Amino acid sequence: MPRLSAVSREALSPDNQKAYDAIVASRGEVRGPFAAIMHSPELAGRVAHTGTYVRFETTVPKLQNELAILTVARHWDADYEWVAHEIQAKEAGAREEAIAAIGNRKAPAGLTDEEALTVKFALELLQNHKVSDATFNAVKDKLGEQGVTDLTVTVGYYSLISCVLNSMEMMPDKTTLPA
């Protein structure tokens, strides 16, 4: 059970309802991490704005983006994020073997070169707090300068979301997915 209850739109001031409405417009409803972040409506709006770009408008191909998100979810043991994005990864064409390798912390072993590059980039950033020149340059060569920037921010954004989910003890269920 989450540590904080959901905030209703009616409980917010008219100015804060704008942030609530913006989240509903981009995601259909306020749920998951945004149910918790809505306790700080201005922050919720800003986080959601970044999330809309990272999830729906990024230059990173959908499959690579979802593999990076799964890598972050597994790193943080964010079960809610894992369940939500395992579904998204499958819809983007992720191989079961790739999802299993990330989930079992075996990746990048067992991944194709393209999958491994994305996962390696995310793992280096999460585990080493930086990315090697070789990995950075390989991603930049593949995705371009904007793409490597977008991938970096995806890892950071989903780390933030994972921390919210974990600290608020939000667990996946059918009424709160996907995030």
Side-chain angles (χ1 to χ4, degrees), residues 48-71:
H49 185 72
T50 300
T52 296
Y53 178 83
V54 167
R55 183 165 172 211
F56 304 113
E57 301 166 4
T58 181
T59 62
V60 177
K62 183 74 171 159
L63 176 58
Q64 283 70 39
N65 208 47
E66 290 300 330
L67 293 175
I69 295 166
L70 286 180
T71 303

Side-chain angles (χ1 to χ4, degrees), residues 23-45:
I23 293 168
V24 170
S26 69
R27 291 169 172 76
E29 62 184 304
V30 174
R31 64 182 178 272
F34 293 101
I37 303 171
M38 190 50 67
H39 286 276
S40 179
E42 180 68 24
L43 178 62

Side-chain angles (χ1 to χ4, degrees), residues 59-61 64 113-114 117-118 121 131-152:
T59 62
V60 177
Q64 283 70 39
D113 290 345
E114 187 170 356
L117 180 59
T118 301
F121 183 95
V131 179
S132 69
D133 288 342
T135 301
F136 185 91
N137 290 330
V139 170
K140 186 176 83 170
D141 289 346
K142 179 135 187 85
L143 300 178
E145 291 181 356
Q146 184 175 351
V148 74
T149 301
D150 285 359
L151 183 58
T152 300

